[in-house]
Amino acid sequence: MDLEEEAYNIIKRHKEGVFQNVIWKELNIDSRKCSRIIKKLLDKDLIVREVGVSNGARTYLLKAKEEVKEKYDLLLAGELFSACTGCTGDCQPEYCGRLSEWIGNLIQEEERSEETERSEETGEIKADAKNEEEVEEEM
């Protein structure tokens, strides 16, 4: 694990934030090297930095940015929301028309995704074959 990852893990462990001087002491590096590492983390938009004071010295309070996760993407099939979410019907899933439709959309979405992958792969192969023919013609 490199120093950048270690610094980021230290910051993530401290939910309320950690002072930058704590990080360079914990990693046993000088403050300049720590500043460069923190700059990289800021550039990658992984952390936020606020001005703070620790033991009377000006330093920075560092906090990890919260990861934004898609909350509902697993409940969607195309544009249809899962039929069972919030359903109050007393039905058997094997015979539910709304659930069957939703599962059908999942299958169609997966098939479209596979077709796209295949066409991209064959398109790359065709492009490579054309390049080989051009090289042979030049010889």
Side-chain angles (χ1 to χ4, degrees):
M1 185 180 321
D2 66 345
L3 289 174
E4 191 175 317
E5 286 179 71
E6 288 182 49
Y8 183 59
N9 288 333
I10 292 170
I11 296 167
K12 283 192 336 187
R13 273 198 318 259
H14 296 86
K15 300 294 181 199
E16 284 80 39
V18 61
F19 288 113
Q20 187 167 324
N21 61 347
V22 171
I23 293 174
W24 59 265
K25 289 175 185 173
E26 200 168 314
L27 292 176
N28 199 25
I29 57 176
D30 63 16
S31 61
R32 282 180 32 184
K33 185 166 187 138
C34 184
S35 294
R36 286 188 226 116
I37 291 169
I38 298 305
K39 172 135 177 38
K40 288 179 185 177
L41 294 173
L42 285 166
D43 290 344
K44 291 180 181 179
D45 204 30
L46 296 173
I47 63 171
V48 291
R49 180 172 70 175
E50 302 168 0
V51 176
V53 177
S54 172
N55 297 330
R58 182 179 163 265
T59 186
Y60 291 104
L61 182 66
L62 307 169
K63 297 179 184 179
K65 283 195 170 181
E66 298 208 15
E67 296 176 23
V68 177
K69 295 181 182 178
E70 296 291 326
K71 294 180 181 179
Y72 305 109
D73 60 342
L74 295 177
L75 297 174
L76 291 172
E79 293 185 14
L80 281 181
F81 201 67
S82 171
C84 295
T85 304
C87 180
T88 57
D90 188 23
C91 65
Q92 293 180 339
E94 302 88 36
Y95 304 109
C96 178
R98 289 178 30 201
L99 180 60
S100 296
E101 181 184 358
W102 184 75
I103 291 172
N105 278 352
L106 277 178
I107 293 169
Q108 289 175 351
E109 195 173 281
E110 180 65 25
E111 288 171 350
R112 276 188 240 117
S113 174
E114 288 174 0
E115 284 177 21
T116 302
E117 286 178 17
R118 276 194 296 264
S119 65
E120 287 174 356
E121 287 174 2
T122 57
E124 290 173 10
I125 293 170
K126 288 178 183 176
D128 289 343
K130 284 184 179 179
N131 289 339
E132 287 177 15
E133 289 174 8
E134 290 173 3
V135 170
E136 288 177 7
E137 288 176 7
E138 291 176 4
M139 293 177 152

